[in-house]
Amino acid sequence: MPHRQIEFHVVPSGDRGTRAIMLAIFEEVEENRAHLVKHLGEPTALMVLELMNRKHVSGRYKEFNLLTGDRAKHGRDWILLMGLGKKKENARPYRFRDRVRSVVAIAARHFRRKHVGSFAVDDFVDYGLEASVAARLIVDGAILGLYRFERYKSKKKSVEESSPKTIYILSDCSSGELEAPIREARQSALNTCLVRDLVNTPGSDLTPLIFAKRVRASAEEIDGLECQILDADELKAERMNLHVAVGMGSDNPPCLAILRYRPKGAEAGWDLALVGKGVTFDTGGYNMKSGEQMERMYGDMAGGAAVLGAIRTIAQQHIPLNVVALIPLAENRVSGRAFLPGDILTSRKGLTVEITNTDAEGRLLLADSLTFACDTFRPHTIIDIATLTGSIVSALGHFVSGLFTHSEDEEADRLFSRKLQQSGQDTGEWLWQLPVDDDYLVQMRSDIADIENCETDRASGAGAVTAAVFLKQFIDVDKISVWAHLDIAGTSLMEQTHIYTKCPYQPKEGATGIGARLLTEFAWKMAGSS
């Protein structure tokens, strides 16, 4: 795949050896003068400024202006000017960083269309960024922006011939200074592309056991990862009856994939547990989805894929935390064996659950795995991530994922939430916090069991909140310090160009890979404060 083959090299800022260059510009003409003179020389820079004054070249965000260069004057055949918008629109650092990531993605695709094999981009220090930060953003933008999923195309686009193979970062820093940021950003971006590949794969080609084999392969590929797979019989022995029930209707049995990474040694305990929903296909069960709703339900394992991508990156980057990842896997299908509305199931925690909706199956998988994680690993922090509810789309749309957090320590909860939100801002994977108060339990009150698995009165609303409150009941607060639930149902898989419009390094359609980079960034922040 071309996005996996891109090489990044650091060259002096005055280097003129690359025939194509991308330069970012603000809408305010004079803000660009020094920057353009530095990279193009005064005559060409003055020409560009004049074109901007005449409105022939625009600095509006995401607008691109490709000019033919003059190699004799400044060493370039192509000059691609990418708009950053107005300077005040970039005042917030996280907004500006995401625009840098975005314009690099657009530039890489534009040069692909022009069959340009390499191009240069400066390190954005003139705009106030540290070169190391800019290097990460450039790698992110290029790899994520050039991603294509063509596994099932009989005639693949000629990306091998046309995609840029090399990107040169113009900087006064040495190659050694930027080596680690480039390497780590590459690892993170490539693992995000792996997440996209998994989420884009049809359910028939990614059953629970096939997914589990992919997890095992990660342990074989990456030093420090240990894998364990619990099959259906072992799940029953662990009293994970909610998980088993979801998979009963399928000929493909459920399983639980576990990856361990413990650089601090076994005696240090577990710092972080990641739990990702892995429903490899969701028909809705006997509360069956409509055909239109069911079409993309092969992507209902996006949370599990994100967790896999995150722990792969955490291990590759040697983040000094003991981390365990749990991916509960199942297919939710209809058959004579499938679980039914009205069933009463006993969870691993001992709580009984009345099944009011078989299409609220993801929370059942997560509930048992959350309890299993608390009992078995007793991590300081536990985060689950899932395409859990359609209600989160109604609340937040397709730009932002839902965040729910809880700790018995109010200050710890506040700091934890802030760290997750900052991680989202740093990676362009925004989070918005919603309540997770037990007051909402009244909407899941059962007359015959401890709790219903789903709100039955849609007029009551708050479906994303009640789902999070349901999960909260399966956390043992005596065994962990903080817990978070991320609902990525609106951000993990695109059918329209909403998120592409905001973040052009995301695909117009298909999987985004949301979650993997966010969780990795959170792990770095957690390691830095521990």
Side-chain angles (χ1 to χ4, degrees):
M1 297 294 286
H3 60 272
R4 300 186 186 279
Q5 299 166 358
I6 308 172
E7 295 184 356
F8 299 87
H9 298 288
V10 180
V11 296
S13 58
D15 184 88
R16 297 291 186 269
T18 311
R19 59 187 287 255
I21 186 171
M22 184 216 95
L23 294 172
I25 55 175
F26 289 120
E27 283 190 53
E28 297 88 347
V29 177
E30 285 304 313
E31 292 290 343
N32 305 299
R33 181 180 293 273
H35 184 63
L36 293 172
V37 169
K38 174 180 175 181
H39 291 288
L40 301 176
E42 190 166 7
T44 304
L46 291 176
M47 177 197 72
V48 172
L49 294 172
E50 180 60 24
L51 289 172
M52 292 188 73
N53 281 319
R54 293 182 180 183
K55 310 300 183 186
H56 297 322
V57 168
S58 171
R60 284 194 295 271
Y61 176 46
K62 296 188 298 184
E63 287 211 15
F64 54 87
N65 310 267
L66 186 63
L67 308 178
T68 54
D70 185 334
R71 181 170 291 192
K73 289 183 178 179
H74 46 68
R76 313 293 183 191
D77 291 334
W78 297 100
I79 302 167
L80 180 59
L81 302 170
M82 289 297 316
L84 289 168
K86 295 182 184 298
K87 193 170 184 180
K88 66 179 181 181
E89 295 171 355
N90 292 274
R92 295 189 178 186
Y94 70 90
R95 292 283 185 188
F96 177 60
R97 291 194 295 267
D98 204 56
R99 289 195 173 192
V100 170
R101 192 184 284 120
S102 295
V103 297
V104 171
I106 296 171
R109 287 197 296 268
H110 196 69
F111 282 128
R112 176 170 65 188
R113 287 194 293 271
K114 295 296 182 183
H115 299 270
V116 175
S118 64
F119 68 95
V121 57
D122 80 291
D123 63 4
F124 289 88
V125 294
D126 294 344
Y127 295 109
L129 276 184
E130 293 181 15
S132 60
V133 173
R136 293 177 187 274
L137 299 173
I138 291 165
V139 174
D140 269 355
I143 293 178
L144 298 178
L146 288 172
Y147 172 85
R148 276 178 172 152
F149 184 69
E150 295 191 308
R151 175 177 172 180
Y152 298 96
K153 293 282 190 180
S154 58
K155 293 184 179 180
K156 296 176 173 57
K157 293 184 179 180
S158 57
V159 290
E160 298 289 348
E161 294 79 27
S162 60
S163 280
K165 300 291 192 301
T166 309
I167 295 177
Y168 295 94
I169 301 174
L170 304 171
S171 179
D172 291 329
C173 292
S174 67
S175 296
E177 290 175 279
L178 299 185
E179 180 182 355
I182 290 172
R183 181 183 65 250
E184 290 171 359
R186 182 184 181 85
Q187 291 165 341
S188 183
L190 290 177
N191 283 322
T192 299
C193 291
L194 169 64
V195 175
R196 290 176 175 180
D197 286 345
L198 291 170
V199 178
N200 283 326
T201 300
S204 295
D205 290 338
L206 193 70
T207 64
L209 291 181
I210 294 174
F211 196 133
K213 289 179 182 177
R214 296 294 297 270
V215 175
R216 190 181 297 281
S218 291
E220 296 169 355
E221 294 167 10
I222 299 171
D223 290 341
L225 284 181
E226 305 166 11
C227 180
Q228 178 185 9
I229 309 295
L230 301 185
D231 63 23
D233 289 336
E234 290 170 308
L235 292 176
K236 292 175 185 175
E238 290 288 349
R239 310 183 317 281
M240 300 177 77
N241 301 312
L242 304 183
H243 184 164
V244 171
V246 173
M248 287 195 307
S250 174
D251 290 337
N252 296 305
C255 59
L256 174 65
I258 304 170
L259 281 173
R260 296 173 175 86
Y261 170 67
R262 39 188 168 189
K264 296 162 65 175
E267 295 181 0
W270 295 95
D271 300 296
L272 176 62
L274 303 174
V275 182
K277 172 185 169 184
V279 177
T280 58
F281 195 84
D282 181 20
T283 67
Y286 275 99
N287 292 107
M288 189 171 287
K289 299 178 184 291
S290 69
E292 182 180 346
Q293 291 173 324
M294 202 187 300
E295 182 180 357
R296 296 270 186 159
M297 282 298 107
Y298 54 79
D300 211 18
M301 35 56 70
V307 162
L308 174 60
I311 197 168
R312 283 173 59 94
T313 312
I314 288 167
Q316 288 172 331
Q317 296 181 2
H318 309 294
I319 298 178
L321 296 174
N322 281 1
V323 183
V324 61
L326 297 90
I327 307 174
L329 294 157
E331 283 182 342
N332 186 20
R333 292 201 180 194
V334 174
S335 74
R337 302 185 307 273
F339 74 131
L340 303 171
D343 283 353
I344 308 295
L345 306 175
T346 302
S347 66
R348 175 185 171 89
K349 192 173 184 181
L351 291 174
T352 55
V353 180
E354 179 185 1
I355 303 303
T356 54
N357 191 329
T358 59
D359 195 21
E361 85 298 329
R363 66 196 70 183
L364 301 177
L365 294 188
L366 292 173
D368 272 344
S369 282
L370 288 170
T371 302
F372 181 85
C374 291
D375 292 345
T376 307
F377 302 105
R378 293 176 173 257
H380 175 276
T381 299
I382 186 165
I383 302 172
D384 75 74
I385 180 169
T387 49
L388 205 63
T389 67
S391 295
I392 201 68
V393 183
S394 300
L396 299 176
H398 296 282
F399 299 106
V400 182
S401 302
L403 168 65
F404 305 82
T405 67
H406 177 71
S407 174
E408 296 295 281
D409 182 334
E410 187 174 340
E411 179 63 11
D413 187 35
R414 186 186 67 80
L415 293 173
F416 176 49
S417 171
R418 182 61 189 142
K419 195 173 293 183
L420 276 166
Q421 291 180 77
Q422 287 176 338
S423 299
Q425 290 177 347
D426 289 346
T427 55
E429 301 184 359
W430 279 268
L431 299 172
W432 190 263
Q433 189 163 15
L434 294 164
V436 67
D437 300 317
D438 283 344
D439 294 342
Y440 287 91
L441 280 171
V442 68
Q443 295 180 222
M444 295 176 287
R445 186 167 52 198
S446 171
D447 294 332
I448 55 176
D450 294 324
I451 191 172
E452 295 176 346
N453 79 314
C454 184
E455 162 72 63
T456 55
D457 180 9
R458 291 197 173 188
S460 297
V465 176
T466 55
V469 172
F470 177 88
L471 294 178
K472 181 184 171 186
Q473 309 313 304
F474 298 88
I475 296 292
D476 192 332
V477 295
D478 294 327
K479 297 176 181 176
I480 68 158
S481 294
V482 289
W483 160 71
H485 162 60
L486 310 182
D487 193 337
I488 60 170
T491 55
S492 65
L493 188 65
M494 293 296 111
E495 295 184 55
Q496 297 174 306
T497 60
H498 295 308
I499 201 166
Y500 171 83
T501 303
K502 170 179 167 289
C503 305
Y505 51 88
Q506 297 288 12
K508 290 183 178 180
E509 187 175 348
T512 62
I514 289 286
R517 291 184 303 120
L518 186 158
L519 293 172
T520 301
E521 180 64 25
F522 173 80
W524 273 115
K525 285 179 167 43
M526 185 178 179
S529 61
S530 63

